[in-house]
Short mmCIF file of all heavy atoms in Angstrom, two decimals:
data_model
loop_
_atom_site.label_atom_id
_atom_site.label_comp_id
_atom_site.label_asym_id
_atom_site.label_seq_id
_atom_site.Cartn_x
_atom_site.Cartn_y
_atom_site.Cartn_z
N GLY A 47 -17.04 15.91 -112.84
CA GLY A 47 -16.24 16.85 -112.06
C GLY A 47 -15.42 17.81 -112.91
O GLY A 47 -14.79 18.72 -112.37
N GLN A 48 -15.41 17.64 -114.23
CA GLN A 48 -14.67 18.55 -115.10
C GLN A 48 -15.39 19.89 -115.18
O GLN A 48 -16.63 19.94 -115.16
CB GLN A 48 -14.57 17.98 -116.52
CG GLN A 48 -13.70 16.76 -116.65
CD GLN A 48 -12.25 17.12 -116.77
OE1 GLN A 48 -11.85 17.82 -117.68
NE2 GLN A 48 -11.46 16.66 -115.83
N GLU A 49 -14.60 20.92 -115.33
CA GLU A 49 -15.15 22.26 -115.47
C GLU A 49 -15.99 22.35 -116.76
O GLU A 49 -15.60 21.79 -117.78
CB GLU A 49 -13.99 23.26 -115.55
CG GLU A 49 -14.40 24.70 -115.46
CD GLU A 49 -13.20 25.62 -115.60
OE1 GLU A 49 -12.07 25.13 -115.61
OE2 GLU A 49 -13.42 26.83 -115.71
N LYS A 50 -17.10 23.01 -116.69
CA LYS A 50 -17.97 23.28 -117.85
C LYS A 50 -18.58 22.03 -118.47
O LYS A 50 -18.96 22.04 -119.63
CB LYS A 50 -17.22 24.07 -118.92
CG LYS A 50 -16.76 25.42 -118.44
CD LYS A 50 -15.95 26.13 -119.48
CE LYS A 50 -15.35 27.39 -118.91
NZ LYS A 50 -14.22 27.88 -119.67
N VAL A 51 -18.66 20.93 -117.75
CA VAL A 51 -19.27 19.73 -118.31
C VAL A 51 -20.79 19.83 -118.26
O VAL A 51 -21.46 19.52 -119.23
CB VAL A 51 -18.75 18.46 -117.61
CG1 VAL A 51 -19.70 17.30 -117.79
CG2 VAL A 51 -17.39 18.11 -118.18
N ALA A 52 -21.33 20.27 -117.15
CA ALA A 52 -22.78 20.49 -117.03
C ALA A 52 -22.94 21.94 -116.61
O ALA A 52 -22.85 22.27 -115.44
CB ALA A 52 -23.38 19.54 -116.00
N MET A 53 -23.14 22.81 -117.59
CA MET A 53 -23.12 24.24 -117.32
C MET A 53 -24.53 24.81 -117.20
O MET A 53 -25.29 24.84 -118.17
CB MET A 53 -22.37 24.97 -118.43
CG MET A 53 -22.47 26.47 -118.31
SD MET A 53 -21.43 27.29 -119.48
CE MET A 53 -19.96 27.43 -118.52
N LEU A 54 -24.84 25.26 -116.00
CA LEU A 54 -26.13 25.90 -115.75
C LEU A 54 -26.09 27.32 -116.31
O LEU A 54 -25.13 28.06 -116.07
CB LEU A 54 -26.39 25.94 -114.25
CG LEU A 54 -27.69 26.60 -113.80
CD1 LEU A 54 -28.90 25.79 -114.24
CD2 LEU A 54 -27.69 26.78 -112.29
N PHE A 55 -27.10 27.67 -117.10
CA PHE A 55 -27.19 29.04 -117.59
C PHE A 55 -28.65 29.48 -117.59
O PHE A 55 -29.54 28.65 -117.55
CB PHE A 55 -26.55 29.20 -118.98
CG PHE A 55 -27.28 28.50 -120.09
CD1 PHE A 55 -28.09 29.22 -120.96
CD2 PHE A 55 -27.17 27.13 -120.28
CE1 PHE A 55 -28.78 28.59 -121.99
CE2 PHE A 55 -27.85 26.48 -121.31
CZ PHE A 55 -28.65 27.22 -122.16
N GLU A 56 -28.83 30.79 -117.59
CA GLU A 56 -30.17 31.36 -117.47
C GLU A 56 -30.50 32.16 -118.73
O GLU A 56 -29.64 32.82 -119.30
CB GLU A 56 -30.23 32.36 -116.30
CG GLU A 56 -29.72 31.83 -114.98
CD GLU A 56 -30.77 31.06 -114.22
OE1 GLU A 56 -31.97 31.27 -114.50
OE2 GLU A 56 -30.39 30.24 -113.39
N THR A 57 -31.77 32.09 -119.12
CA THR A 57 -32.27 33.02 -120.12
C THR A 57 -33.33 33.87 -119.41
O THR A 57 -34.22 33.33 -118.76
CB THR A 57 -32.86 32.29 -121.34
OG1 THR A 57 -33.71 31.26 -120.89
CG2 THR A 57 -31.78 31.68 -122.20
N GLU A 58 -33.16 35.17 -119.51
CA GLU A 58 -34.04 36.07 -118.75
C GLU A 58 -35.35 36.36 -119.46
O GLU A 58 -36.29 36.86 -118.86
CB GLU A 58 -33.29 37.37 -118.44
CG GLU A 58 -32.16 37.10 -117.45
CD GLU A 58 -31.28 38.29 -117.18
OE1 GLU A 58 -31.59 39.39 -117.70
OE2 GLU A 58 -30.29 38.12 -116.47
N THR A 59 -35.38 36.03 -120.75
CA THR A 59 -36.63 36.14 -121.52
C THR A 59 -36.67 34.96 -122.48
O THR A 59 -35.66 34.27 -122.64
CB THR A 59 -36.65 37.43 -122.38
OG1 THR A 59 -35.53 37.40 -123.27
CG2 THR A 59 -36.59 38.68 -121.53
N ASP A 60 -37.82 34.71 -123.10
CA ASP A 60 -37.87 33.72 -124.17
C ASP A 60 -36.99 34.27 -125.29
O ASP A 60 -37.12 35.44 -125.67
CB ASP A 60 -39.29 33.56 -124.69
CG ASP A 60 -40.24 32.98 -123.64
OD1 ASP A 60 -39.78 32.66 -122.53
OD2 ASP A 60 -41.43 32.85 -123.96
N LYS A 61 -36.08 33.46 -125.82
CA LYS A 61 -35.25 33.96 -126.90
C LYS A 61 -34.63 32.84 -127.71
O LYS A 61 -34.57 31.70 -127.27
CB LYS A 61 -34.18 34.92 -126.38
CG LYS A 61 -33.11 34.31 -125.53
CD LYS A 61 -32.11 35.41 -125.18
CE LYS A 61 -30.89 34.88 -124.49
NZ LYS A 61 -29.89 35.91 -124.24
N THR A 62 -34.14 33.22 -128.89
CA THR A 62 -33.47 32.28 -129.77
C THR A 62 -31.98 32.33 -129.45
O THR A 62 -31.40 33.41 -129.37
CB THR A 62 -33.71 32.65 -131.24
OG1 THR A 62 -35.13 32.68 -131.46
CG2 THR A 62 -33.07 31.65 -132.18
N VAL A 63 -31.38 31.16 -129.27
CA VAL A 63 -29.96 31.08 -128.93
C VAL A 63 -29.27 30.10 -129.86
O VAL A 63 -29.92 29.23 -130.44
CB VAL A 63 -29.75 30.64 -127.46
CG1 VAL A 63 -30.31 31.66 -126.48
CG2 VAL A 63 -30.35 29.27 -127.21
N ALA A 64 -27.96 30.24 -129.98
CA ALA A 64 -27.14 29.29 -130.73
C ALA A 64 -26.19 28.64 -129.73
O ALA A 64 -25.20 29.26 -129.31
CB ALA A 64 -26.37 30.01 -131.83
N LEU A 65 -26.53 27.42 -129.33
CA LEU A 65 -25.73 26.71 -128.33
C LEU A 65 -24.69 25.85 -129.03
O LEU A 65 -24.98 25.20 -130.03
CB LEU A 65 -26.63 25.84 -127.45
CG LEU A 65 -27.68 26.61 -126.65
CD1 LEU A 65 -28.54 25.64 -125.85
CD2 LEU A 65 -27.04 27.63 -125.71
N CYS A 66 -23.50 25.86 -128.50
CA CYS A 66 -22.37 25.16 -129.11
C CYS A 66 -22.62 23.66 -129.17
O CYS A 66 -22.98 23.03 -128.17
CB CYS A 66 -21.11 25.44 -128.30
SG CYS A 66 -19.67 24.52 -128.85
N GLY A 67 -22.40 23.08 -130.34
CA GLY A 67 -22.50 21.63 -130.52
C GLY A 67 -21.15 20.96 -130.61
O GLY A 67 -21.01 19.77 -130.35
N CYS A 68 -20.13 21.73 -130.98
CA CYS A 68 -18.80 21.13 -131.15
C CYS A 68 -18.08 20.99 -129.81
O CYS A 68 -17.14 20.23 -129.69
CB CYS A 68 -17.96 21.93 -132.13
SG CYS A 68 -17.33 23.50 -131.51
N LYS A 69 -18.55 21.75 -128.81
CA LYS A 69 -18.01 21.74 -127.44
C LYS A 69 -16.62 22.37 -127.34
O LYS A 69 -15.93 22.20 -126.34
CB LYS A 69 -17.99 20.32 -126.84
CG LYS A 69 -19.26 19.52 -127.03
CD LYS A 69 -20.49 20.21 -126.52
CE LYS A 69 -21.74 19.35 -126.69
NZ LYS A 69 -22.97 20.03 -126.33
N GLU A 70 -16.21 23.10 -128.37
CA GLU A 70 -14.89 23.75 -128.36
C GLU A 70 -15.00 25.26 -128.19
O GLU A 70 -13.99 25.96 -128.24
CB GLU A 70 -14.14 23.44 -129.67
CG GLU A 70 -13.87 21.97 -129.90
CD GLU A 70 -12.75 21.41 -129.02
OE1 GLU A 70 -12.04 22.18 -128.37
OE2 GLU A 70 -12.62 20.18 -128.99
N THR A 71 -16.21 25.77 -128.00
CA THR A 71 -16.37 27.21 -127.83
C THR A 71 -15.60 27.74 -126.62
O THR A 71 -15.46 27.04 -125.62
CB THR A 71 -17.87 27.57 -127.69
OG1 THR A 71 -17.98 28.98 -127.51
CG2 THR A 71 -18.52 26.87 -126.50
N LYS A 72 -15.16 28.97 -126.72
CA LYS A 72 -14.52 29.64 -125.59
C LYS A 72 -15.55 30.46 -124.81
O LYS A 72 -15.20 31.09 -123.82
CB LYS A 72 -13.39 30.57 -126.08
CG LYS A 72 -12.27 29.84 -126.81
CD LYS A 72 -11.33 29.15 -125.82
CE LYS A 72 -10.08 28.60 -126.49
NZ LYS A 72 -10.31 27.34 -127.18
N SER A 73 -16.79 30.48 -125.28
CA SER A 73 -17.85 31.22 -124.61
C SER A 73 -19.03 30.31 -124.31
O SER A 73 -20.16 30.58 -124.75
CB SER A 73 -18.32 32.38 -125.49
OG SER A 73 -17.26 33.21 -125.84
N PRO A 74 -18.80 29.20 -123.61
CA PRO A 74 -19.91 28.29 -123.35
C PRO A 74 -21.02 28.94 -122.56
O PRO A 74 -20.75 29.79 -121.73
CB PRO A 74 -19.23 27.16 -122.56
CG PRO A 74 -18.03 27.77 -121.93
CD PRO A 74 -17.57 28.84 -122.91
N PRO A 75 -22.27 28.60 -122.83
CA PRO A 75 -22.72 27.52 -123.71
C PRO A 75 -22.93 27.96 -125.16
O PRO A 75 -23.43 27.18 -125.96
CB PRO A 75 -24.07 27.15 -123.08
CG PRO A 75 -24.61 28.47 -122.60
CD PRO A 75 -23.41 29.21 -122.09
N TYR A 76 -22.54 29.17 -125.48
CA TYR A 76 -22.89 29.72 -126.79
C TYR A 76 -21.83 29.45 -127.85
O TYR A 76 -20.63 29.44 -127.55
CB TYR A 76 -23.14 31.24 -126.66
CG TYR A 76 -24.24 31.53 -125.67
CD1 TYR A 76 -23.95 32.02 -124.42
CD2 TYR A 76 -25.56 31.26 -125.99
CE1 TYR A 76 -24.95 32.26 -123.49
CE2 TYR A 76 -26.57 31.47 -125.07
CZ TYR A 76 -26.26 31.98 -123.82
OH TYR A 76 -27.26 32.19 -122.90
N CYS A 77 -22.27 29.29 -129.07
CA CYS A 77 -21.37 29.13 -130.22
C CYS A 77 -20.57 30.42 -130.40
O CYS A 77 -21.13 31.51 -130.37
CB CYS A 77 -22.20 28.86 -131.47
SG CYS A 77 -21.27 28.83 -133.01
N ASP A 78 -19.25 30.27 -130.57
CA ASP A 78 -18.41 31.44 -130.85
C ASP A 78 -17.72 31.31 -132.21
O ASP A 78 -16.79 32.05 -132.51
CB ASP A 78 -17.39 31.68 -129.73
CG ASP A 78 -16.31 30.61 -129.69
OD1 ASP A 78 -16.39 29.62 -130.46
OD2 ASP A 78 -15.37 30.75 -128.89
N GLY A 79 -18.17 30.35 -133.00
CA GLY A 79 -17.60 30.16 -134.34
C GLY A 79 -16.41 29.19 -134.36
O GLY A 79 -15.85 28.92 -135.43
N ALA A 80 -16.02 28.65 -133.20
CA ALA A 80 -14.86 27.75 -133.13
C ALA A 80 -15.04 26.52 -134.02
O ALA A 80 -14.06 25.96 -134.52
CB ALA A 80 -14.61 27.32 -131.69
#
Side-chain angles (χ1 to χ4, degrees):
Q48 291 278 300
E49 190 182 352
K50 298 176 188 161
V51 159
M53 173 173 269
L54 179 67
F55 68 102
E56 308 276 338
T57 47
E58 292 174 5
T59 59
D60 294 358
K61 68 177 188 176
T62 303
V63 296
L65 299 178
C66 175
C68 74
K69 314 304 182 185
E70 298 286 349
T71 179
K72 298 282 189 281
S73 304
Y76 302 105
C77 173
D78 70 355

